[in-house]
Amino acid sequence: MVTVRPFPIRDGAGNALTAFRGSSEAELRRLGGRDVVPAALVVVEYAGAVLMVFDAWRAAWELPGGGRERDETTHRTAVRELREETGIHGVRLDAVAVAEFDLVAPDRRELLAVYRARLRAAPRLLVNDEVLDFLWWPPSDPVGEHMNPLDAEIARRVARMPTA
């Protein structure tokens, strides 16, 4: 059984995950541009586990994802970031949620689009300059050392969501 924690959930730097709600692609489009939803995360599920990437810059395990580029939709961001960070491409990504954060450096409120990919076979993952390693993390396990607790909570909540 995957247990979810009450909000807010904070990381060691003081950033907080303050809300999480189901969402559709249509709702993400209605939310608007890059200033409103500046990034996307992808929860990749395979065999009861979620793919976490070890980010070289932050030295932490986190979900694949990143910032939107000019004139890019959140879906396109999720597709691009997943390919760049893992080598995974050509898979179906479904919009499943919006996560709300209060961040500290700089101080701001931010919404992130959350997508899900459910894989039937283990992918070939590609290490690169940004991502140094990969971990298939069962969301029922405790949050590991150097794991971003905010991303882990998002992964847990997505894992509990029904399939569309």
Side-chain angles (χ1 to χ4, degrees), residues 84-144:
E84 289 175 359
E85 293 184 3
T86 69
I88 297 173
H89 62 282
V91 300
R92 177 180 167 163
L93 296 184
D94 295 311
V96 292
V98 171
E100 184 175 332
F101 296 87
D102 283 334
L103 304 174
V104 296
D107 186 22
R108 67 195 184 281
R109 177 180 168 263
E110 191 168 277
L111 300 176
L112 269 65
V114 181
Y115 288 82
R116 173 196 280 171
R118 286 200 159 153
L119 305 181
R120 295 182 190 168
R124 180 171 177 255
L125 301 169
L126 303 174
V127 172
N128 57 65
D129 291 343
E130 185 178 357
V131 173
L132 303 179
D133 204 359
F134 303 98
L135 171 70
W136 288 103
W137 176 66
S140 58
D141 282 3
V143 174

Side-chain angles (χ1 to χ4, degrees), residues 2 43 45 50 116 118 139 154-162:
V2 176
V43 177
E45 296 174 312
V50 170
R116 173 196 280 171
R118 286 200 159 153
I154 290 168
R156 285 183 170 147
R157 288 172 183 261
V158 170
R160 292 186 63 190
M161 297 175 87

